[in-house]
Amino acid sequence: MTYGGPDSRRLFWALLPLALAFRFWLAAAFPITGDEAYFVDWGRHPDWGFYDHPPMVGWWLAALLSVSGAEWWLRLPAVVQPAFLALAVAWTLSSVCRDVERERAWWAALLVLLAPVDVWNVFITTDTPLVYFAVLSGLAWLKAGRSDDDPRWYLAAGLLLAGAVLSKYFAALLGFAYLIDVLLVRRRPRAWAGLAVAYAAVLPALTLMAWWNAGHCWTNVLFNFVNRHEDAGFSWRTPLLYAATLAYVLTPPGLWLLLRGDPSRVGRRSLAMLSAIPFLIFAGLSLVKTVGLHWLLAFVPFALLWLALSLPLPTLRRLATFFIGFAALHVAAIAVASRLPLETWQRLKIHNGVVLTFESQALLERLKPFGADHVFAMDGYSSASTLGFNSQKAGGQRFIVLGPGSSHARNDDFLTDFRTLDGKNILVLRKTEPRPDEYRPWFREVAIERFDHRGARFWVVRGRGFDYVAYRDGVLAKARDAWYAVPRWLPQTGCYFCDRYFGGSSCIR
């Protein structure tokens, strides 16, 4: 019996139901967040694409909504994700890595199951399908390399990569890692042929997104590659923040062991490429932009797999023990926080948002008397999505976004036609105090009231007689110039925003 042999498997199966139970509780107890509610709105209006990202999570949520709108049900793909991927990792390594101790597969599964973010992240967003497809694609890629370059596994890797592309454009980093792997590691004619097979399988997804974007203002391209990077610039803080983020998602000892390791020692260079290439690209990007924690999620499992295969078994067992203790600390902290009253967070800037998320029904009850003759709105997408989700769950109206907003999450531009609101009354609930003259240009009359709830302060703006023309010239025209300026070299077959409000040609830069 090798060191730790049977213990890793038994320990995994002992901890799996505990991890799932905690995640199911969290999914049922925690209200839908703004980002989640925003993507649920995609599911209510399924399409071939959406403003920010490709459509996959919208398709998933449309299917889930056809059964139930319960929070735990909508989050089910996210809740079971760590368990599913951990089992996929155990199966793949058991079948692929026959030259190492079999128990390493279960240590790898345990690390994936209890990675810090996988303990608490039950929120369904675009990253949920991305992680599924990216990790499974990477495992198929590894299987292809260990199966005498079997083209069927390369095809599977490509089809799964296509699913990742239809989830989020970060999937391109994984496709680039495949190229580097063939260039530097595999370097065989059959590997090049396999790469061609994988890339060919992705082409239909790319074609679909090009076709949809051409008819929808190229919103994905403008948002992901132009508009969201306006604040980019060199900073010494963002690389430090990236290093801290990497240390968290891998744990400090995990990152330290990863940096000390040498992938050539155990012949797992292909596996190392799948995490090293994206992480290095993010490191370069961090010089000029903040790298979000969720950007890393699709590539963390590959780093954990490499650790499980490369570390001496005693070291691997100690690392797994740290993961268990760190996971228990997360569970304890979340359990304590869940028992604290909302007023506990009153001094934090996020307090109003926390109250809005947890007390949505109480806020909706306060607005209910105005529902018959007012259109409900918020001044930002997150709050509008949160209240809209809870309102529609109870049979009420969705909340529109009124005001300039930002380049982020403008899918409401698809759904709201301000021409149809001309002359109507609109009620805007705000978490911040409005300027005295902020809404007067858009309405015949404006009344502003203030109220407090659970230690948070909110403002209600009631505008009577909406002036569409004034709003178009004062708000929509600026949004067009800032976020819908399509470059002339991009072929365009339609632009919902400019066709609706400005006659189409105004959106061409």
Side-chain angles (χ1 to χ4, degrees):
M1 183 185 301
T2 55
Y3 179 84
D7 291 344
S8 59
R9 181 171 181 171
R10 287 204 297 264
L11 187 59
F12 174 85
W13 286 108
L15 292 174
L16 177 63
L18 297 178
L20 282 174
F22 175 72
R23 291 174 64 80
F24 270 107
W25 168 77
L26 198 58
F30 203 95
I32 287 288
T33 63
D35 280 359
E36 289 182 291
Y38 177 71
F39 298 125
V40 169
D41 215 29
W42 289 14
R44 296 189 193 279
H45 306 89
D47 202 343
W48 292 110
F50 302 94
Y51 173 84
D52 317 67
H53 300 293
M56 185 61 72
V57 74
W59 296 349
W60 284 29
L61 285 165
L64 291 165
L65 284 166
S66 68
V67 177
S68 172
E71 285 88 342
W72 73 269
W73 173 254
L74 298 177
R75 289 168 168 163
L76 185 62
V79 170
V80 302
Q81 184 172 85
F84 179 89
L85 294 181
L87 291 171
V89 162
W91 177 83
T92 303
L93 295 192
S94 296
S95 62
V96 170
C97 304
R98 301 183 185 279
D99 55 332
V100 297
E101 300 89 340
R102 185 65 60 87
E103 68 267 20
R104 288 183 183 273
W106 292 103
W107 287 126
L110 186 64
L111 296 182
V112 172
L113 179 70
L114 298 182
V117 178
D118 287 342
V119 173
W120 56 264
N121 182 22
V122 298
F123 311 114
I124 184 162
T125 66
T126 52
D127 300 287
T128 304
L130 171 68
V131 173
Y132 272 112
F133 285 116
V135 174
L136 294 177
S137 175
L139 294 178
W141 179 263
L142 296 173
K143 184 77 172 175
R146 299 289 292 183
S147 301
D148 195 26
D149 292 316
D150 188 337
R152 293 173 297 180
W153 284 109
Y154 281 115
L155 176 61
L159 292 173
L160 290 163
L161 183 59
V165 166
L166 289 173
S167 304
K168 208 164 188 176
Y169 291 117
F170 279 139
L173 300 183
L174 185 60
F176 182 65
Y178 293 166
L179 173 62
I180 300 301
D181 182 34
V182 173
L183 276 171
L184 301 181
V185 179
R186 301 192 179 186
R187 295 184 293 183
R188 302 182 297 271
R190 294 188 67 179
W192 281 105
L195 180 67
V197 169
Y199 279 2
V202 180
L203 286 178
L206 295 175
T207 302
L208 172 63
M209 294 318 302
W211 165 78
W212 183 86
N213 272 275
H216 295 82
C217 320
W218 289 96
T219 57
N220 288 179
V221 173
L222 291 177
F223 172 69
N224 286 285
F225 302 105
V226 180
N227 297 336
R228 71 185 304 179
H229 303 297
E230 292 176 344
D231 60 344
F234 178 78
S235 170
W236 61 267
R237 294 183 180 88
T238 46
L240 294 177
L241 180 60
Y242 173 65
T245 301
L246 204 57
Y248 174 70
V249 298
L250 294 171
T251 73
L255 178 59
W256 172 250
L257 292 168
L258 192 71
L259 293 175
R260 289 183 56 195
D262 179 3
S264 64
R265 289 182 182 176
V266 291
R268 305 287 175 243
R269 290 181 294 167
S270 287
L271 179 56
M273 291 293 172
L274 301 189
S275 57
I277 296 302
F279 286 166
L280 288 173
I281 292 174
F282 286 139
L285 186 60
S286 73
L287 296 173
V288 295
K289 188 171 180 62
T290 301
V291 174
L293 181 149
H294 60 288
W295 296 11
L296 309 178
L297 300 184
F299 311 106
V300 166
F302 301 123
L304 299 178
L305 266 63
W306 185 84
L307 284 172
L309 291 178
S310 62
L311 294 176
L313 276 172
T315 304
L316 178 57
R317 185 169 187 143
R318 287 194 294 269
L319 180 62
T321 301
F322 180 87
F323 269 60
I324 294 171
F326 203 35
L329 183 62
H330 281 73
V331 171
I334 292 171
V336 170
S338 70
R339 305 299 299 173
L340 299 175
L342 292 179
E343 289 79 3
T344 304
W345 320 105
Q346 192 166 348
R347 295 188 178 183
L348 300 180
K349 290 183 178 180
I350 63 172
H351 180 58
N352 281 25
V354 171
V355 172
L356 185 141
T357 300
F358 281 85
E359 292 287 303
S360 288
Q361 292 300 335
L363 296 177
L364 289 170
E365 282 297 317
R366 183 178 285 267
L367 302 183
K368 192 173 182 180
F370 304 102
D373 60 349
H374 284 77
V375 175
F376 288 162
M378 297 285 292
D379 62 336
Y381 86 89
S382 180
S383 300
S385 300
T386 301
L387 287 181
F389 171 82
N390 288 283
S391 174
Q392 291 177 92
K393 189 168 66 172
Q397 60 173 289
R398 67 182 297 270
F399 278 62
I400 69 171
V401 178
L402 188 74
S406 71
S407 65
H408 289 261
R410 298 191 65 89
N411 205 67
D412 189 63
D413 289 345
F414 286 92
L415 304 176
T416 301
D417 187 345
F418 286 99
R419 297 173 300 178
T420 65
L421 302 181
D422 192 37
K424 293 189 176 182
N425 303 328
I426 301 178
L427 183 151
V428 186
L429 180 65
R430 291 182 56 121
K431 297 181 296 182
T432 58
E433 184 175 5
R435 300 189 307 273
D437 59 346
E438 186 172 351
Y439 292 90
R440 297 193 189 282
W442 313 335
F443 293 98
R444 186 176 65 251
E445 298 176 13
V446 175
I448 300 176
E449 302 171 3
R450 186 186 72 190
F451 69 91
D452 294 335
H453 183 75
R454 299 296 299 272
R457 181 158 292 178
F458 297 92
W459 286 262
V460 174
V461 180
R462 285 190 291 143
R464 302 187 66 83
F466 178 65
D467 187 338
Y468 157 70
V469 173
Y471 188 80
R472 180 196 64 194
D473 296 342
V475 176
L476 300 178
K478 293 179 181 178
R480 172 199 62 191
D481 297 340
W483 303 308
Y484 288 96
V486 180
R488 290 185 178 276
W489 56 268
L490 283 173
Q492 187 176 176
T493 60
C495 179
Y496 59 95
F497 192 83
C498 294
D499 292 344
R500 182 186 299 163
Y501 300 122
F502 304 102
S505 62
S506 308
C507 276
I508 299 176
R509 180 175 295 168

